[in-house]
Amino acid sequence: MKNALFFAAALVIGCSSSTPPADAGADAAPTDAATEAAPKDAAAPTDAGDAGTCAPPQGASCPTTGGNCLHIGQPCTKGGGQCPQPTACDIDLDPTGVGICITYFSCKPNMHECGAGATCCQTAMTSNTPVCLPNQCLPSDCTAEP
């Protein structure tokens, strides 16, 4: 199932865009959602990777029962709109998904950009597409970020 998810995600990604509107959050005070959509400076550590400020996805197995501060692992349903940008529901990308919010093309492996308890995988099983996944749902060829 996971192979199909990542293969389909790679195909869907090439045909769609998840870029938020240019004025998203411009008129409002900064919020977590606005902060999450901001570009990341790879040289500067972020609070997202600090376990003290970002609780990991909840649940002992995959699918998880709750997401982290970046919504990675948040439960979702097909077409339900539960995943705030820049995340997407894996079932919207692949009908064999497990029902969790993920991101794709928005992280670099080993840079701790997916928040606590989540890892950026870019492996053969993700069709070499960088995907933020909860550690409970990592493919067998991806190692959890410390």
Side-chain angles (χ1 to χ4, degrees), residues 1-11 89-100 102 125-127 131 133 137:
M1 174 179 3
K2 289 181 184 175
N3 286 339
L5 163 69
F6 299 117
F7 179 72
L11 293 176
C89 187
D90 65 350
I91 293 177
D92 288 333
L93 302 172
D94 180 352
T96 63
V98 296
I100 57 170
I102 63 170
M125 291 182 79
T126 67
S127 298
V131 181
L133 295 166
C137 301

Side-chain angles (χ1 to χ4, degrees), residues 15 25 29 31 42 51 67 107 120-121 142:
C15 299
T31 63
C107 65
C120 181
C121 294
C142 183

